[in-house]
């Protein structure tokens, strides 16, 4: 199993550009989520999904969209990038009540 | 929503000493408390977790204690080694609300084990 795979690992955007961070898992996990990690602020939940076709907002959802058309994939879309979205993004998945497995992270810089 | 506070933000110990990291949570309905370790440039990985029906759990050199009345839980690492140097995050969630594995994380503790 590859586990949780995120792409790209690094990305530089200009303010106003849009992009999609890809996340895929091959463990047949029901639950998937996106976190952002900023220095001194821990991991903050952006969006999450409890199954295909079901998504909901986390703590910091503004400026981000998600969709869950399949069990395996959970892309995160930045609609109009802002410097405040410079961060490291982690995708994670789990069984409904099990250990949360993280991807390797995607480092995004918005100029 | 849930709020998790974590202290200290940095912790330096001598090799072989013990390290203790403390967290408090605000939502009395939270019932699952995992701890994650994140080495520099790596992803967070689960090291131990505890559920609200248990007061203490041990796994070799690490242990977690939970005080539901006071709403705080702690990570204890004994006989620290250089490879324990990392950032540690506590987290909390309520697994009964239908929100899946929606964890709220603390802000992290940078542990440095000095030789």
């Amino acid at each position: 199993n590859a586990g949780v795979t995120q792409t790209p690992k690094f990305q530089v955007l200009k303010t106003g550009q849009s992009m999609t961070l890809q996340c895929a898992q091959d463990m047949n996990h029901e639950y998937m989520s996106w976190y952002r990690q900023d220095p001194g602020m821990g991991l903050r939940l952006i969006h999450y999904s409890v199954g295909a076709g079901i998504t909901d907002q986390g703590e910091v959802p503004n400026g981000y969209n998600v969709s869950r058309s399949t069990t395996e994939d959970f892309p995160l879309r930045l609609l109009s990038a802002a410097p405040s979205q410079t961060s490291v993004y982690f995708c994670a998945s789990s069984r409904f009540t099990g250990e949360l497995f993280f991807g390797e992270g995607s480092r995004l810089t918005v100029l | 929503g849930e709020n998790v506070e974590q202290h200290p933000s940095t912790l330096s110990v001598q090799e072989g000493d013990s390290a203790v990291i403390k967290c408090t949570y605000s939502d009395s309905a939270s019932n699952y408390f995992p701890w994650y370790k994140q080495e520099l440039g790596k992803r967070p990985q689960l090291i131990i977790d505890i559920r609200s029906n248990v007061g203490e759990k041990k796994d070799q050199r690490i242990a977690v204690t939970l005080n539901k009345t006071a709403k705080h839980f702690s990570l204890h690492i004994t006989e620290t080694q250089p490879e324990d140097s990392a950032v540690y995050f506590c987290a909390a969630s309520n697994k009964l609300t239908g929100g899946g594995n929606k964890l709220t994380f603390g802000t992290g503790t940078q542990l440095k084990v000095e030789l």
Side-chain angles (χ1 to χ4, degrees):
Chain A
N1 286 350
V4 180
T5 303
Q6 288 181 236
T7 57
K9 288 186 169 53
F10 301 94
Q11 183 71 50
V12 178
L13 291 178
K14 294 181 179 178
T15 296
Q17 288 185 317
S18 62
M19 77 157 298
T20 299
L21 297 176
Q22 302 290 345
C23 177
Q25 54 93 6
D26 61 359
M27 297 175 281
N28 201 30
H29 286 166
E30 303 93 347
Y31 182 83
M32 296 186 75
S33 55
W34 277 100
Y35 285 86
R36 60 177 289 174
Q37 184 174 26
D38 302 292
M41 301 188 75
L43 294 147
R44 292 182 293 167
L45 183 63
I46 305 171
H47 285 287
Y48 66 97
S49 169
V50 298
I54 306 170
T55 64
D56 206 346
Q57 296 181 351
E59 180 185 354
V60 288
N62 292 341
Y64 308 95
N65 273 358
V66 292
S67 60
R68 184 95 179 269
S69 56
T70 67
T71 300
E72 295 78 20
D73 300 301
F74 191 46
L76 178 71
R77 298 181 184 83
L78 280 72
L79 308 173
S80 178
S84 60
Q85 293 179 304
T86 293
S87 187
V88 179
Y89 292 84
F90 285 97
C91 179
S93 75
S94 73
R95 294 287 182 203
F96 199 74
T97 59
E99 174 182 351
L100 197 61
F101 291 89
F102 286 88
E104 292 185 319
S106 299
R107 183 176 294 275
L108 175 66
T109 301
V110 183
L111 303 175
Chain B
E2 174 66 277
N3 181 52
V4 177
E5 294 189 357
Q6 182 172 347
H7 300 279
S9 58
T10 60
L11 179 59
S12 184
V13 299
Q14 295 293 315
E15 183 180 7
D17 287 349
S18 296
V20 180
I21 303 169
K22 299 181 179 181
C23 290
T24 60
Y25 60 99
S26 62
D27 187 354
S28 57
S30 288
N31 52 29
Y32 176 64
F33 307 93
W35 287 86
Y36 283 80
K37 176 183 180 182
Q38 186 179 30
E39 297 176 352
L40 187 63
K42 301 295 179 85
R43 72 189 85 188
Q45 291 189 293
L46 179 72
I47 56 171
I48 195 168
D49 58 12
I50 192 168
R51 300 181 189 274
S52 60
N53 58 345
V54 175
E56 183 176 3
K57 184 177 179 181
K58 290 182 179 180
D59 184 3
Q60 298 182 352
R61 295 187 297 108
I62 60 173
V64 58
T65 59
L66 172 65
N67 183 328
K68 288 190 296 181
T69 303
K71 289 190 283 188
H72 67 70
F73 55 113
S74 300
L75 178 71
H76 305 253
I77 305 174
T78 59
E79 301 173 16
T80 53
Q81 301 169 3
E83 52 264 39
D84 294 329
S85 295
V87 178
Y88 292 81
F89 292 97
C90 62
S93 75
N94 181 348
K95 289 187 172 290
L96 300 178
T97 60
N101 215 350
K102 193 169 65 170
L103 295 177
T104 300
F105 284 85
T107 51
T109 296
Q110 174 75 61
L111 173 65
K112 183 177 180 181
V113 180
E114 299 178 337
L115 297 173

